[in-house]
Structure formats: structure tokens, C-alpha cells
């Protein structure tokens, strides 16, 4: 997977979270961001990575995201590996 494709999946992760008040509130609580801060930082690669980590942390959410964005099996994990190769991203 190329980096631009992984970044695109990260962008879709933010959009997916934004479309669900419950998921968005959960992400904001975990990240400590306000909605305005998230909007202002949406282009930050760390936000994409952490949105992907948040989605991947719950199997049902990961499945729903993959289905909604038509990802093939393993593409979510590939995007995470490309954007955060050492698994070092942390809030």
C-alpha cells in the first residue's frame, strides 16, 4: 500500500467518525480534542493514525468502517502499518 492510499483511508476514518455522534464523542473523549480542535487538525497525520487506531480497537467498528468504505480485508491494518510503522502513535 502506498502512503497516499493509507492517508486517504485515514481521511475516511475521520469522516466515518464524524458521521456517528457516538463514535465521534468516544474519539474526542479518548483524544482529549474538542470538535473545533479536531476540525482544525484534520490534516495532521497523527489525527489520521489515531482515528484509525480508535476504529481498529473495536472489531465491530472496524468491520462497519471497512464495509462502509469498501476496504478489502487487511487494508485497515495495512494503512495503520504504513502511517504508524512502529505502532508508536499515542495520545
Amino acid at each position: 500500500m502506498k502512503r497516499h492510499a493509507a492517508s486517504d483511508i485515514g481521511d475516511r476514518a475521520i469522516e466515518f467518525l464524524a458521521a456517528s455522534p457516538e463514535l465521534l464523542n468516544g474519539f474526542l473523549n479518548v483524544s482529549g480534542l474538542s470538535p473545533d480542535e479536531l476540525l482544525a487538525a484534520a490534516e495532521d497525520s497523527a489525527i489520521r493514525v489515531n482515528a484509525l487506531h480508535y476504529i481498529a480497537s473495536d472489531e465491530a467498528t472496524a468491520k462497519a468502517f471497512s464495509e462502509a468504505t469498501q476496504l478489502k480485508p487487511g487494508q485497515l491494518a495495512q494503512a495503520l502499518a504504513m502511517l504508524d510503522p512502529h505502532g508508536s502513535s499515542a495520545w
Side-chain angles (χ1 to χ4, degrees):
M1 173 175 293
K2 304 266 185 197
R3 187 165 187 81
H4 71 277
S7 290
D8 179 59
I9 292 171
D11 289 339
R12 289 190 270 163
I14 294 169
E15 292 168 3
F16 179 78
L17 294 174
S20 168
E22 182 180 335
L23 290 175
L24 181 60
N25 285 331
F27 179 70
L28 292 174
N29 286 334
V30 168
S31 69
L33 296 171
S34 71
D36 290 337
E37 290 169 328
L38 176 61
L39 186 58
E43 295 299 318
D44 184 342
S45 63
I47 298 296
R48 289 184 192 105
V49 168
N50 285 294
L52 288 170
H53 275 297
Y54 183 79
I55 288 169
S57 71
D58 178 74
E59 187 175 339
T61 303
K63 182 178 179 183
F65 172 70
S66 294
E67 289 174 357
T69 58
Q70 299 178 347
L71 294 181
K72 295 177 183 168
Q75 283 186 305
L76 174 58
Q78 289 175 351
L80 270 170
M82 174 61 69
L83 297 175
D84 190 21
H86 304 293
S88 59
S89 182
W91 291 99

